[in-house]
Amino acid sequence: MSTTGVTPPIPAPDHAPRLRDALIAADFTADGLLERLGATAYAALARSETVPALRATRGDGPLDELVRLFLLQRSAACDRVGDVLPLDLCLADGWLVRDGDTVRATVDVRPYSGPAGEDWFIVSDLGCAVGGAAGAGGQGEAVVLGVGGASTTLAGITVRTPVASALDLGTGSGIQALHATRHATRVTATDLNPRALDFTRLTLALSGAPGAELLAGSLFEPLPAAETYDLIVSNPPFVISPAARLTYRDGGMGGDDLCRTLVQQAGERLNEGGYAQFLANWQHVEGEEWQDRVRAWVPAGCDAWIVQREVQDVTQYAELWLRDSGDHRGDPERYAARYEEWLDEFAAQRTKAVGFGWITLRKSASERPSVVLEEWTHPVEQPLGETVVAHFARQDYLREHDDAALLADHFVLAAEVVQEQVGPPGAEDPEHLVLRQNRGMRRATRVDTVGAGFAGACDGTLSAGRILDAIAQLLGEDPVLLRDRTPAALRVLVGEGFLEPVGVGKL
C-alpha cells in the first residue's frame, strides 16, 4: 500500500474478462468466500476486522491466495499467483505490482452477489476493507470506498422496475450503477471525484456488466440541461461536517444543504412516474421539528416517503465520523481540536442531533401530493423495492377514495400479518391487541377490539361497511356512529399495508 501521499495509479480494464474468469474459476465469489471463511470470519471481514479471515486462509489453495492478496492485502509469491491468475496481464494492466519474487494487489477486489446470484466484484482503493477510510494510505481526500452498509441499504430499497434510463449520482465504486444495469436500458453515473469513475468502470468490467455513461462533476452539474430519467439513486456525501476533508463523505456545503439541494433538484430531472431514492442526513435544530425541515425539501410535483432510521446527538455523530477518518488514532490534542470544531459548528447552527434515513420521491401529476414522514428504527426485511412501490400505490388508492368509497370497498388481510395479545400471563383479557407484519417494513400497530375484529373478518367477502354493521350488532353499538369513526383507522391500516383492497391489483 502506498504511504507516500502520491495517489496510486488505477488498473486498466482491458483484460478484465480474463481476470474475471480466473477469479470465478478459483471460487473467489461471494458464496465461495462465505463457505471458505465461515459466517463468523465473513461477517468480521465486513466490519474491517481481518484476524478471523487470516486464520481461516492459512492454507495454500487458490482461494486462500486470492483472499490474502485482494482482501487482506498481503504479498504473494509470483509463481503461486501465476497458477491462479493471468499474471502477465494483471501486471501489465496494473492490478498487481511485482516486488522481487512476490506481487501485491494495487486495488481491493471484493466478491459481491447480485440480486439473482450474479457473481459481481466491487473494485475500490486499498486499505478500506481492512481499516475503513482511515486505512487507505496514499489516496487522501480522493479515496474511493468499496461496498458498505450504506451502499447495500440503498441497493436494497431501490425500486427495480425495468426502466429506459437510470442515473447514479456520486457513484463511488459503482455499486448502484452496477445494480441499475440489470433493469435499465441506459445507465449514467456521475461523481465529483474522477478516480471514482475509473473505479466504476473497473467494477462494471470485472462484473461482466454492460458499460455506463460516466460523467465527472458535482450532483446534476455534468448532465445535459434537459436530460430526465426514470430512476435516480444516490448515496451522496451526506456527512454534516465543519470542513470538506474527505470527498467520499463530506458534501462541502453548510449543514445539510447538500442533501436538501439534491432532493430539491431531483424533481425536475424525473420522468413522470419515475423514482428518486437517496440516503441522507438532516439536522435536528432547536425549536424546529425535523419533519417540517425535511418536508420543505420535497420538490413540487412529487410524492415522497421519508423514513428516519436513526438519530444521534451531536457528540455521538462527531465521534462516529472522527473514528471513520482515523482521527482518534493520532495526536490527542489534534483529535480534541477537531472534536471542538464539530461541536462549534453544530452550536452555531443550533443543531442538537442528526437524523439518518431514506428519502424516496415519485414524480406525480397529482394536485394533492402525498408526503409521508415517519420514524421507524426497528429491523426491516430487505430488499424493500417492492415495498416502496406498494407504499405509493396505497397512497394513490387512499387519495382517490373518500370515506364512503372506503366503506363500500372490500379488503383482505395482507400476507404474513399476525395478531398478538399483550397482557399479563393468565389474564382473562389482554391489555391490548397488536397487528404485526412479518416481512417488509415489519410494522406493528395497536388496535382495539373493533379493529382486531374488523381485520380478522377482512377476507374479501363483505364490504368494510357490512363488516362494521355486523360488529356493531355483536357489541351493541350504534352502527352509524361506528361507521363514522372507523374510516380514519381504516386509512391507517391500508396506508401501512396491513389491509389490501380487493380487485385493484396488489398494493
Side-chain angles (χ1 to χ4, degrees):
M1 176 189 319
S2 171
T3 58
T4 64
V6 177
T7 302
I10 298 174
D14 299 355
H15 300 96
R18 288 278 305 277
L19 176 56
R20 170 181 170 78
D21 290 343
L23 295 176
I24 293 175
D27 211 19
F28 189 64
T29 64
D31 289 342
L33 199 61
L34 177 59
E35 182 176 352
R36 183 69 185 89
L37 299 182
T40 301
Y42 188 85
L45 189 60
R47 301 191 302 270
S48 301
E49 294 290 347
T50 60
V51 172
L54 280 169
R55 290 171 61 88
T57 55
R58 285 174 173 167
D60 56 4
L63 182 54
D64 296 321
E65 292 286 352
L66 294 180
V67 170
R68 292 193 295 263
L69 186 65
F70 285 116
L71 296 182
L72 305 180
Q73 293 153 29
R74 301 299 178 97
S75 296
C78 291
D79 57 348
R80 298 191 63 83
V81 174
D83 291 337
V84 183
L85 302 178
L87 183 58
D88 290 344
L89 293 181
C90 289
L91 290 169
D93 287 353
W95 296 92
L96 304 174
V97 292
R98 187 189 295 270
D99 183 12
D101 293 332
T102 66
V103 293
R104 56 183 173 83
T106 61
V107 291
D108 182 289
V109 177
R110 178 173 291 269
Y112 181 74
S113 182
E118 301 94 336
D119 289 322
W120 287 345
F121 300 93
I122 309 301
V123 188
S124 61
D125 271 317
L126 281 178
C128 302
V130 298
Q139 294 80 0
E141 295 181 357
V143 61
V144 177
L145 298 187
V147 62
S151 52
T152 56
T153 292
L154 178 59
I157 68 172
T158 299
V159 173
R160 297 301 175 191
T161 305
V163 294
S165 57
L167 170 64
D168 177 15
L169 287 175
T171 187
S173 54
I175 302 165
Q176 310 307 325
L178 177 58
H179 276 277
T181 61
R182 292 189 69 252
H183 62 101
T185 303
R186 176 173 60 90
V187 176
T188 301
T190 72
D191 205 288
L192 181 64
N193 180 3
R195 296 183 77 248
L197 300 178
D198 290 333
F199 275 110
T200 295
R201 187 176 291 108
L202 291 177
T203 290
L204 295 177
L206 197 58
S207 299
E213 179 184 26
L214 305 178
L215 302 175
S218 177
L219 301 182
F220 296 99
E221 290 176 0
L223 303 172
E227 196 74 39
T228 56
Y229 302 85
D230 301 310
L231 174 67
I232 300 172
V233 293
S234 183
N235 177 17
F238 53 68
V239 176
I240 300 170
S241 59
R245 291 174 54 203
L246 298 172
T247 304
Y248 76 91
R249 72 168 202 192
D250 301 322
M253 299 184 185
D256 52 20
D257 281 354
L258 182 133
C259 291
R260 174 185 58 80
T261 300
L262 178 62
V263 174
Q264 288 180 336
Q265 292 181 355
E268 63 186 18
R269 291 291 187 166
L270 278 177
N271 293 325
E272 193 68 27
Y275 290 90
Q277 300 185 265
F278 316 106
L279 302 184
N281 275 176
W282 44 79
Q283 294 164 270
H284 285 223
V285 177
E286 294 177 5
E288 175 185 80
E289 296 295 329
W290 75 266
Q291 294 92 335
D292 295 335
R293 182 181 190 85
V294 183
R295 183 181 288 109
W297 296 1
V298 178
C302 288
D303 299 323
W305 185 21
I306 299 166
V307 182
Q308 181 166 270
R309 294 287 289 156
E310 183 180 1
V311 179
Q312 291 184 317
D313 68 46
V314 292
T315 59
Q316 293 173 313
Y317 190 80
E319 291 161 11
L320 169 66
W321 295 109
L322 286 169
R323 288 194 301 270
D324 171 80
S325 55
D327 289 293
H328 64 304
R329 300 174 183 168
D331 179 6
E333 292 187 4
R334 183 181 181 188
Y335 172 79
R338 284 187 167 164
Y339 201 149
E340 289 273 10
E341 289 176 5
W342 285 72
L343 296 186
D344 288 344
E345 182 80 3
F346 285 132
Q349 298 171 353
R350 298 184 301 111
T351 299
K352 57 184 180 180
V354 177
F356 167 81
W358 317 327
I359 297 177
T360 298
L361 306 177
R362 185 189 62 167
K363 192 67 171 289
S364 169
S366 174
E367 297 179 356
R368 295 182 295 128
S370 165
V371 179
V372 176
L373 298 97
E374 61 177 313
E375 183 165 13
W376 188 251
T377 59
H378 305 288
V380 299
E381 182 183 57
Q382 289 274 35
L384 286 171
E386 292 184 1
T387 300
V388 171
V389 173
H391 166 85
F392 286 100
R394 290 194 297 268
Q395 302 312 308
D396 289 342
Y397 172 84
L398 293 173
R399 188 162 45 196
E400 295 164 0
H401 288 71
D402 60 18
D403 289 352
L406 277 182
L407 294 177
D409 216 338
H410 297 234
F411 299 89
V412 294
L413 196 64
E416 298 190 36
V417 172
V418 298
Q419 177 182 302
E420 299 176 354
Q421 297 184 359
V422 181
E428 184 174 345
D429 297 313
E431 291 181 355
H432 58 266
L433 302 169
V434 173
L435 297 181
R436 186 179 302 278
Q437 300 168 350
N438 285 326
R439 65 181 186 182
M441 292 293 288
R442 293 183 175 173
R443 297 184 186 277
T445 186
R446 182 184 295 191
V447 293
D448 58 15
T449 303
V450 172
F454 179 86
C458 284
D459 61 2
T461 304
L462 298 176
S463 69
R466 292 287 300 277
I467 293 174
L468 290 175
D469 291 343
I471 292 175
Q473 185 175 5
L474 286 172
L475 299 179
E477 293 197 28
D478 185 331
V480 175
L481 294 178
L482 191 58
R483 279 175 173 254
D484 284 345
R485 75 169 192 256
T486 299
L490 179 55
R491 287 185 179 277
V492 172
L493 292 176
V494 173
E496 294 188 347
F498 290 95
L499 294 177
E500 297 175 351
V502 174
V504 295
K506 184 166 181 62
L507 302 188

